[in-house]
Amino acid sequence: MTTVLSTLGNLRAVLVTGKGGVGKTTVTASIARMLAASGRRVLCGETAVDDQTTSPLGAALGVEGKVGEDPTPAGPNLDVVILQATRGHRAFLRDALKVNLLADAALRSAAIRRFLMAAPSFPEMGMLYRVLELVRLRLSDGSPRYHTVVLDLPATGHALALAQIPSSLLRILPGGPIVEAVKEGLGLIMDPAQTGSVVVTLPETLPVSEALELADGIRKHQLPLAAVVANRVPYDPFSAAEKASVLGHVKSAGPTLGVRSLERIERSRAALARLAEARGDVPMFVVHDSWAEGAALPAELAVSLAGGVP
């Protein structure tokens, strides 16, 4: 039986992506909690702009204190962190300039900061460098500090942007540790044995179309597509005969309470069938509607995800 754990459990990095409003952060937190419950040491991260003061991912994981650029405990085997491109920029400037004071001084320059965040591929390069730093962390015995880094990417195209650091950018760099680190980072996120992208969608026509378009883009840019997650899928308690009977009654009785719920179930069924037809051999996991709220929701969904494919 294909499960989320068997699909993602041995990866070093899981990139969760999708359009806004599909529950991507909740799914990210759920995957992280599920992997942590399995015994893996997990770092769950969200990308953010500089000076961000709130952490939706931290809230989803039930972290009461502030989440910052350094990992914060979020539960057994689980830490959470905010990833900022400037932290990666500082790291590769440090490697380039060889002196931390020079790197810090460079980043204190508003002009240099603006260039690093505006120049093509440099924001993604900084983020990639930071992710690589976290993946490289080791415990005193030499084992990885984190077995898996689960990333809540901020926008549909961000996963693709990480894979589109152009070769021209590498050509203008003189070689050395920066180039090697960028190549190592690209090697990490493009290796299906180490990284998997997870596309989150809702069981509705437009979100499914957007998810399929995103999945095509991920494949086109040679990022490993590990799974598709259909979120907020309504439970369907009806047999085919029961649905036909209810619909027949509605047609003769006029407006009836609950018809919209039945229509949503039908739209969901059609959307899931479309996803199943188009996803090929990529596993699809279904996350059903839940009454849970706040941090209780990812905790509940983590148990559901660990159960496999409905």
Side-chain angles (χ1 to χ4, degrees), residues 74-96:
N77 295 326
L78 179 60
D79 290 348
V80 62
V81 69
I82 288 180
L83 303 176
Q84 294 185 339
T86 52
R87 183 72 173 257
H89 292 154
R90 183 179 295 111
F92 71 69
L93 284 174
R94 179 195 62 212
D95 287 344

Side-chain angles (χ1 to χ4, degrees), residues 193-265:
Q194 298 187 79
T195 296
S197 300
V198 175
V199 175
V200 182
T201 187
L202 296 178
E204 299 283 347
T205 301
L206 181 58
V208 165
S209 295
E210 293 169 338
L212 293 177
E213 182 179 350
L214 176 57
D216 287 342
I218 287 173
R219 292 189 184 99
K220 176 182 177 181
H221 291 93
Q222 300 180 322
L223 281 174
L225 179 59
V228 174
V229 173
N231 191 28
R232 301 177 196 159
V233 175
Y235 286 97
D236 184 358
F238 301 105
S239 68
E242 289 169 337
K243 287 179 187 176
S245 176
V246 170
L247 290 173
H249 171 76
V250 169
K251 289 179 180 179
S252 61
T256 304
L257 186 66
V259 169
R260 288 185 178 179
S261 295
L262 187 60
E263 292 172 345
R264 180 171 176 249
I265 289 172

Side-chain angles (χ1 to χ4, degrees), residues 4-14 31-44 75-79 135 139 144-150 188 193-195:
V4 181
L5 187 58
S6 66
T7 301
L8 306 178
N10 293 318
L11 298 177
R12 296 303 315 281
V14 177
I31 291 172
R33 283 218 175 277
M34 180 210 62
L35 293 175
S38 75
R40 294 183 68 80
R41 294 189 294 272
V42 178
L43 178 64
C44 197
N77 295 326
L78 179 60
D79 290 348
V135 170
L139 299 177
R145 178 175 175 181
Y146 300 109
H147 296 115
T148 305
V149 176
V150 183
L188 168 71
Q194 298 187 79
T195 296

Side-chain angles (χ1 to χ4, degrees), residues 92-93 96 115-116 121-122 125 129 165-183:
F92 71 69
L93 284 174
F115 169 75
L116 290 172
S121 295
F122 270 95
M125 184 177 173
Y129 219 93
I165 298 176
S167 57
S168 57
L169 176 61
L170 296 177
R171 285 199 298 269
I172 68 173
L173 295 174
I178 295 179
V179 170
E180 293 307 313
V182 171
K183 289 180 178 178

